Amino acid sequence: MTTLPPVGTILEEMGKAGARLDTIHACEAGAGNISVALPTPADLAATFPNVEEFELPGPAPALAGWTVLVTGSGQRLRDVGTAPTAAVAAVSIAADGSATLRYADDRAYARPTSEFNSHLAVHDDQIGRRGLTGPHSVVHAQPPYLVALSHHGPADSVKFSRQILRWEPETIVQLPEGVEFLEFMVPGSKRLQEASVAGLRRARIVIWAKHGLMVRSDDGPLKAVDAIEYAETGAMYEAINTQTGSPSQGLSDDELRSVIEAFDVSTTLY
């Protein structure tokens, strides 16, 4: 049975994740959001003593008995570390599907992030399909190089993945499934929610074209941010390459296959 970390520990890691995203310019102002789903912890009420009714944006049967810690709408991710209970809400789901929102006295948001529908649906799908028993994290951010690359015409998932995997040998090791590329969809829409759920079954990262990305992790929000950094670094090298007078092909397919073989990477991209 999974031993749950204290709520304060999870909030601390959410704060570190937000600070790192801010450092790489992936969450300007109130952009970006973080959530962590976990079986409702015993110390929840001590951190979030106030309770109000809350209507979920959609059904989440796999989350019955769970709580989702999620950043509030308009909150700056860089502030989560210094004022976690001001920026984070706790949404608890009961066995009958009803929900409550728990909050602290210093609450600074009106509601959870406007993209809570996608967060909730991804948590519900991953936990329900895979039988997860411990915390599951989802992060949305807007890394500039990846967003810029997503503007460059139609792209499929394999093409986009290869663009960012061909610059450093370790990237294919860290992101063996690459990324799933989604065409532009209205932020917060049900269409984007459904596409994100489907895409995150195939990869840990989905690219929201001309907007940002969503990433999931079984190992906490900082590991989710690690995945973002690997992908963003690949996109940065891709951008640099297009600006040079004699662009490089990066690592060749044969060189990448040698890395895949050496590190026994399970991938279908090469």
Side-chain angles (χ1 to χ4, degrees):
M1 184 176 180
T2 303
T3 301
L4 293 176
V7 171
T9 300
I10 297 175
L11 291 174
E12 181 180 3
E13 186 170 349
M14 291 175 71
K16 290 178 179 178
R20 184 59 190 155
L21 290 171
D22 181 61
T23 299
I24 64 172
H25 309 294
C27 57
E28 68 278 7
N33 30 77
I34 302 171
S35 68
V36 179
L38 67 160
T40 299
D43 61 341
L44 185 67
T47 306
F48 298 99
N50 306 303
V51 183
E52 63 184 42
E53 292 183 1
F54 182 77
E55 183 177 355
L56 294 175
L63 297 180
W66 286 57
T67 290
V68 181
L69 301 179
V70 57
T71 50
S73 180
Q75 297 303 293
R76 301 177 187 89
L77 293 189
R78 61 179 175 266
D79 292 341
V80 174
T82 54
T85 56
V88 176
V91 177
S92 296
I93 298 111
D96 64 0
S98 64
T100 54
L101 187 148
R102 288 187 169 272
Y103 60 95
D105 292 339
D106 61 347
R107 171 180 176 175
Y109 53 85
R111 60 191 183 280
T113 171
S114 60
E115 285 155 345
F116 186 50
N117 62 326
S118 291
H119 283 257
L120 187 72
V122 170
H123 287 306
D124 183 66
D125 181 71
Q126 290 290 324
I127 289 163
R129 282 190 318 104
R130 298 169 56 218
L132 300 179
T133 59
H136 181 257
S137 302
V138 172
V139 175
H140 162 59
Q142 296 169 188
Y145 288 103
L146 283 165
V147 173
L149 187 60
S150 78
H151 278 264
H152 287 202
D156 61 32
S157 297
V158 172
K159 176 183 175 183
F160 197 93
S161 294
R162 288 188 174 194
Q163 285 180 297
I164 62 177
L165 291 172
R166 65 181 180 150
W167 297 108
E168 291 185 335
E170 57 263 44
T171 313
I172 187 66
V173 178
Q174 298 298 328
L175 301 174
E177 71 279 11
V179 300
E180 282 289 311
F181 185 91
L182 306 180
E183 64 183 25
F184 177 77
M185 302 175 206
V186 175
S189 65
K190 186 171 180 59
R191 184 168 172 243
L192 180 58
Q193 167 197 317
E194 292 173 346
S196 297
V197 168
L200 287 170
R201 291 175 181 173
R202 296 184 290 270
R204 283 172 292 163
I205 298 176
V206 290
I207 302 297
W208 291 353
K210 305 178 182 180
H211 179 181
L213 56 73
M214 178 168 270
V215 57
R216 62 168 183 82
S217 171
D218 298 346
D219 300 309
L222 275 174
K223 285 292 186 181
V225 173
D226 285 348
I228 292 172
E229 287 195 72
Y230 280 113
E232 174 71 345
T233 299
M236 179 189 69
Y237 282 122
E238 183 73 12
I240 292 170
N241 187 55
T242 62
Q243 296 167 5
T244 63
S246 55
S248 167
Q249 70 166 358
L251 292 161
S252 68
D253 286 0
D254 284 344
E255 288 170 331
L256 279 164
R257 290 189 190 103
S258 69
V259 174
I260 290 166
E261 181 179 358
F263 288 87
D264 194 23
V265 177
S266 177
T267 181
T268 61
L269 292 170
Y270 295 92

